[in-house]
Amino acid sequence: MITKDSIETAYSFLHQKRNVYIHSSLNWQKDDIEYAIASYADNMSQELYDDISGGRADFLRDHKRFPEDIAQAVERLENML
């Protein structure tokens, strides 16, 4: 069961990190954010991850797709609120 608290927590964390990521011009900062998000995804509720990932095992973990993934994750979480 996905709790409202877990959705709110994930949304707050990912939304904040996405905002920093999209405005950053520092590659090291973007890499740090990608690492933090991947670590968060590894430890979040599997059910919630499955819902926002659309079944992709590498969601929020693929460097090449990260900008699209983080935007999609925030949008999906916002719709769940």
Side-chain angles (χ1 to χ4, degrees):
M1 176 181 183
I2 303 172
T3 66
K4 184 172 173 82
D5 287 344
S6 67
I7 296 168
E8 289 173 346
T9 300
Y11 174 78
S12 295
F13 182 72
L14 295 178
H15 184 267
Q16 186 262 344
K17 295 297 184 195
R18 185 209 56 188
N19 286 346
V20 174
Y21 185 89
I22 62 176
H23 291 60
S24 178
S25 60
L26 305 171
N27 288 333
W28 64 265
Q29 186 177 42
K30 288 183 173 189
D31 288 343
D32 284 353
I33 290 170
E34 287 183 36
Y35 179 79
I37 297 294
S39 294
Y40 185 83
D42 287 341
N43 294 299
M44 73 188 305
S45 154
Q46 188 63 46
E47 187 178 359
L48 180 56
Y49 181 79
D50 290 344
D51 278 1
I52 66 170
S53 71
R56 277 194 32 237
D58 65 346
F59 188 72
L60 297 172
R61 297 179 178 105
D62 181 351
H63 175 72
K64 292 177 184 173
R65 292 187 55 137
F66 185 80
E68 295 86 17
D69 286 354
I70 190 68
Q72 220 172 40
V74 170
E75 181 181 337
R76 289 176 180 166
L77 287 164
E78 187 172 340
N79 290 333
M80 295 171 81
L81 291 174

